[in-house]
Amino acid sequence: MTDAQFQRKVTWLSFLCCVLVIWNHAGNADLFLPGQGTQGFLWRFEYEYAYSVIRADIPFFLMISGYRFFRGFEMKKLPGKWFRRVRSLLIPYLLWNLLYFAADAATSRIPVLSEITGRREIPVTAEEIIRAAVFFTHNPVFWFMFQLILLVILAPVIWIFLRSKAGCLMMLAGFAVLWYVWPAVPVLNPDALIYFSLGGMAAVRFRKETEEAWSLKRLLFGCASLAAAAALYRYYRIMQTPQPIVLYSILVPAGIWLVFDEKWIPEDGIRPWMKETFFIYAFHFVVVRAVNKTVVRFFPGNGIVAAILFTAMPLIAVTVCHGLAGFLRKNVPPFYSLLNGGRG
């Protein structure tokens, strides 16, 4: 595929990851049918059947991020890549975390709102502000952004292994041991390291194969990858161990990449909201919870409405976020640019 086709394909699949993240947080069985528990049809629909596909969201995102970071990488390019990610990743990460902290702190001091949210008064101290900004204590959906920042910092270490075939083999052997033992690792998630590094390995060692034009052979390989992932997920449901789900989370993105034909996307096929992914990642949870809690007031106990709302939530959240992004882009463009990491 051409470079332009590659960029469009990455944009589309990155947006797909964003949609899956919204679905990941759209579950509403606890609100609409709290009495049914985990055996109710709505819970099983949202957290078993739908989640079996949705849970590939963050692994896919990390693999794409690793691929893009190491595509055409040389050590002399590292300062430039780090500098660009300060703007596109670090600054909006810190800013959104501070905004969520400020909102929580203000809400906790307003009696009516604090009763709704159940929050006690949040102290506004230097320590609390730093914890909120760095460790996302008031913005839990950013846990994977924290992981991505750590991985970008570790990029030179990862590159030591990626730059040679022997290093790649050593890395794969290390990942195999890590996968088998699965020890508790502080701060950095082992699976995040695996997904990001494998994306980087594909960019450095298998770029030609990864970026080949779509073909029937790629379609068959992609379908085989997705079928193997389905079998592994079934095994995971029985054993409830992390090992099969890690393999599943590698095979699903690989399968989707191979099955997806870049020629499906026309030259003008990139829509404005596809460039607002950071903004959507950051704000969608507010929209999801607000919509669910509003609708349940009118349809309490209605599982059909809940299921429809769950299914339609990505469309609702993207529409609201896109509208707000458009308002901010028009009225306070510098602030919006910071919030969206300079994208779009």
Side-chain angles (χ1 to χ4, degrees), residues 98-112:
L98 289 173
L99 288 173
Y100 273 97
F101 168 74
D104 277 353
T107 299
S108 70
R109 285 166 168 76
I110 301 174
V112 176

Side-chain angles (χ1 to χ4, degrees), residues 213-234:
W214 185 90
S215 64
L216 179 59
K217 182 177 73 171
R218 289 171 70 86
L219 173 63
L220 293 175
F221 273 114
C223 291
S225 180
L226 294 173
L232 283 165
Y233 192 80
R234 178 62 179 169

Side-chain angles (χ1 to χ4, degrees), residues 141-200:
V141 299
F142 261 20
W143 68 268
F144 67 95
M145 291 292 182
F146 178 75
Q147 293 296 311
L148 182 57
I149 290 170
L150 294 179
L151 291 165
V152 169
I153 293 171
L154 288 173
V157 178
I158 297 172
W159 174 246
I160 292 173
F161 294 93
L162 295 182
R163 66 184 180 179
S164 68
K165 293 181 180 179
C168 287
L169 291 174
M170 290 177 60
M171 173 179 281
L172 291 174
F175 286 164
V177 173
L178 183 65
W179 173 83
Y180 182 77
V181 178
W182 210 251
V185 179
V187 186
L188 181 64
N189 292 358
D191 54 338
L193 174 63
I194 292 173
Y195 305 140
F196 184 84
S197 300
L198 289 181

